[in-house]
Amino acid sequence: MSSLDLIRPDLRNCAPYIASDNGAPHRLHLNELPWSPVGSGLNYYSAEESSIKLEAELADLYEVASNQLLVTRSANEGIDFLMRLFLRAGMDSILQFSPTFSMYSFFAKLQGASVVDYPLDAENSFSLTFEQVQAAWHASVKLIFLCRPNNPTAMMPNLSLITALCKEFKDRSIIVIDEAYIEFSEEASATSLLNQFDNLIVLRTLSKAHGLAGLRIGSIIAQAPLIQMIRNAVPPFRLANPVIEMAQKALLDTTFVQKSVARIAVSRAILVPALEGLSWIEKVYSGQINSVFVRTMYAQDLLSYLFEKGFQVRAFNSPDLQHYLRITIGTEEQTRLLMEVLEGFKEK
Ligand SMILES: Cc1ncc(COP(=O)(O)O)c(C=O)c1O
């Protein structure tokens, strides 16, 4: 038994689509138009080699081997691929610990799978223990999603918990660690455990600390045999050439992330105590992430008030979260303006 046996039986022998390109000057094999309205070779599908080169660069960035990484059009696409590969509609499920990133349940439902949701305790800072995962687990669970640090609560599952879970659920479930925000944290990535566990998958993205949400670049990281199985089941020509080029250009600036994380930390250090000082905010959940999660009885009024003042913050549909808002941490100037506006809310 290995983690590969958790893949949907009908996809285990999936043959990859081979987009062969032998470099012949007369490309008459892909039904492309020989000319383009904008030049730059956009009439041609992107070459597989360009994605492979970007994958090698991302693998270097994340300190994994290039056969341990599959580039995706965003972490969201990575989540979608995992749902499709592992979950049989009407039979399998995912396990998540709410409040957490809403796309896990969104994509599970699209796949016709169910969601085992274990709500964490606000009074306990939404922390998560090994025993809670054990208690919530069910035989239908193929994928266990942990977000680290967690959007929106900033809760940070530590590497010893992840190690224990990988061992406990070996051959039973895949542990998916979504590290979309890990650059904001000083903790080591769960990729450091990759060589020990074949049931560990780590998701990364360039959308957050890399400042490239508009490019849509993510990575699925796992042991090589699992990455190969995912690769076999995904369509070709996924990344556009200009996107690959822009990502490569951005990655040349090796200090951007560090500087951005430091800048966000400055804003956070101003915002968190200021929010805590507002009498009508009951609790501020913060951590090494670029947002804060606040509890206030006035969440809905505050949302409209802030919108009137030119600020959009995030409210939640779930009835359990009606008294919470998530505020992304912006520039120091935005933080200062936000605090000014929030102080005016009291007087309303
Ligand atoms: C926890 C988490 N994972 C993944 C994503 C999606 O990232 P991407 O922009 O790469 O799809 C987000 C975006 O908000 C997120 O909060």
Side-chain angles (χ1 to χ4, degrees):
M1 183 89 186
S2 87
S3 65
L4 303 183
D5 297 314
L6 295 170
I7 290 172
R8 274 168 44 193
D10 53 321
L11 293 184
R12 273 179 219 154
N13 299 314
C14 199
Y17 178 96
I18 308 283
S20 71
D21 187 346
N22 64 13
H26 301 289
R27 293 172 62 95
L28 302 179
H29 64 311
L30 291 176
N31 292 358
E32 300 153 332
L33 201 68
W35 53 85
S36 157
V38 287
S40 323
L42 286 182
N43 48 321
Y44 298 137
Y45 287 104
S46 56
E48 191 62 15
E49 295 76 62
S50 312
S51 295
I52 289 174
K53 192 157 176 294
L54 178 60
E55 271 174 354
E57 290 169 17
L58 290 168
D60 276 354
L61 176 71
Y62 300 137
E63 299 176 348
V64 298
S66 49
N67 62 0
Q68 295 178 321
L69 183 145
L70 176 83
V71 66
T72 51
R73 278 181 310 198
S74 78
N76 272 345
E77 187 184 61
I79 296 166
D80 188 22
F81 285 167
L82 298 182
M83 302 295 181
R84 293 203 234 168
L85 192 71
F86 288 98
L87 306 178
R88 292 166 299 175
M91 295 174 80
D92 296 326
S93 50
I94 65 158
L95 172 58
Q96 67 169 24
F97 299 88
S98 60
T100 192
F101 185 45
S102 57
M103 288 291 128
Y104 309 142
S105 60
F106 174 88
F107 284 118
K109 286 176 191 160
L110 273 189
Q111 179 60 14
S114 40
V115 177
V116 178
D117 182 65
Y118 185 99
L120 295 172
D121 183 7
E123 300 314 314
N124 216 357
S125 300
F126 300 103
S127 61
L128 175 69
T129 64
F130 177 77
E131 290 70 28
Q132 284 171 313
V133 184
Q134 264 186 328
W137 191 84
H138 177 273
S140 68
V141 170
K142 289 283 163 23
L143 301 171
I144 301 176
F145 279 88
L146 297 190
C147 184
R148 97 183 268 271
N150 185 51
N151 169 15
T153 61
M155 184 265 289
M156 185 79 191
N158 61 31
L159 291 184
S160 51
L161 173 65
I162 294 166
T163 301
L165 294 176
C166 288
K167 286 186 184 156
E168 171 71 10
F169 294 102
K170 181 168 171 48
D171 302 335
R172 295 196 285 161
S173 292
I174 302 283
I175 314 296
V176 185
I177 307 297
D178 180 347
E179 292 190 337
Y181 299 93
I182 192 74
E183 291 88 352
F184 293 103
S185 154
E186 280 150 20
E187 298 267 330
S189 165
T191 50
S192 55
L193 304 174
L194 202 65
N195 294 332
Q196 292 175 52
F197 301 111
D198 72 350
N199 61 336
L200 175 64
I201 293 180
V202 180
L203 300 172
R204 301 287 297 256
T205 179
L206 298 188
S207 291
K208 305 298 175 182
H210 284 270
L212 296 170
L215 273 192
R216 314 308 293 132
I217 299 267
S219 297
I220 304 179
I221 302 173
Q223 287 191 2
L226 182 47
I227 289 296
Q228 187 56 51
M229 296 293 271
I230 305 170
R231 199 181 287 286
N232 293 350
V234 302
F237 315 122
R238 286 176 299 114
L239 259 47
N241 276 332
V243 168
I244 296 175
E245 283 160 23
M246 289 298 285
Q248 285 171 325
K249 191 170 162 211
L251 291 178
L252 292 176
D253 183 348
T254 52
T255 58
F256 178 86
V257 170
Q258 199 191 347
K259 285 190 282 194
S260 304
V261 167
R263 225 178 133 185
I264 292 298
V266 170
S267 289
R268 188 174 52 220
I270 300 167
L271 184 64
V272 172
L275 289 171
E276 283 169 343
L278 295 170
S279 58
W280 43 270
I281 287 191
E282 290 145 43
K283 175 99 183 148
V284 180
Y285 299 88
S286 69
Q288 294 181 330
I289 191 168
N290 65 335
S291 58
V292 290
F293 190 50
V294 297
R295 183 183 158 86
T296 166
M297 292 306 283
Y298 306 99
Q300 298 309 317
D301 291 344
L302 188 56
L303 182 72
S304 326
Y305 169 78
L306 284 175
F307 188 61
E308 268 170 38
K309 301 283 178 189
F311 288 89
Q312 191 170 359
V313 298
R314 176 80 151 83
F316 301 88
N317 291 333
S318 145
D320 292 349
L321 297 181
Q322 60 171 315
H323 300 310
Y324 290 87
L325 293 176
R326 189 193 66 198
I327 305 172
T328 302
I329 297 169
T331 60
E332 281 180 69
E333 175 65 0
Q334 284 174 318
T335 306
R336 198 184 53 71
L337 285 173
L338 175 67
M339 287 319 303
E340 254 175 49
V341 164
L342 285 175
E343 270 149 29
F345 181 70
K346 266 190 299 196
E347 286 133 36
K348 269 197 94 190

